[in-house]
Amino acid sequence: AEAKLVAPEVKSPKYDDAVWYYGQNNYYNAVYFAGVALSEGDNRQEAKDLMNKAAKALFDTATNMSTVDAEN
């Protein structure tokens, strides 16, 4: 009965997209696709960790840009 109460692990294919974009230093798309993966039910710790890393990297990168570049 306990096994039936545990939700199955979901691995969204969008997580792989997020990993690829993160590796390309495209943090905006990494955050976007990690968010899609999480919204699809991918609640694995590695998906959450990727979202946190990508969001921090995006923020750090944006703080070093001009206002126009950051908005774009």
Side-chain angles (χ1 to χ4, degrees), residues 11-28:
K11 182 177 188 257
S12 169
K14 300 301 181 190
Y15 170 79
D16 294 329
D17 294 337
V19 169
W20 187 84
Y21 279 112
Y22 185 81
Q24 301 299 310
N25 299 327
N26 186 330
Y27 305 123
Y28 175 83

Side-chain angles (χ1 to χ4, degrees), residues 24-68:
Q24 301 299 310
N25 299 327
N26 186 330
Y27 305 123
Y28 175 83
N29 281 334
V31 167
Y32 173 79
F33 284 108
V36 172
L38 292 170
S39 72
E40 290 178 348
D42 191 338
N43 289 319
R44 297 171 302 136
Q45 189 60 47
E46 59 210 65
K48 294 173 189 176
D49 290 345
L50 177 62
M51 173 59 96
N52 289 333
K53 287 189 320 185
K56 182 175 179 352
L58 178 60
F59 177 79
D60 291 344
T61 301
T63 60
N64 294 323
M65 294 179 172
S66 70
T67 304
V68 172

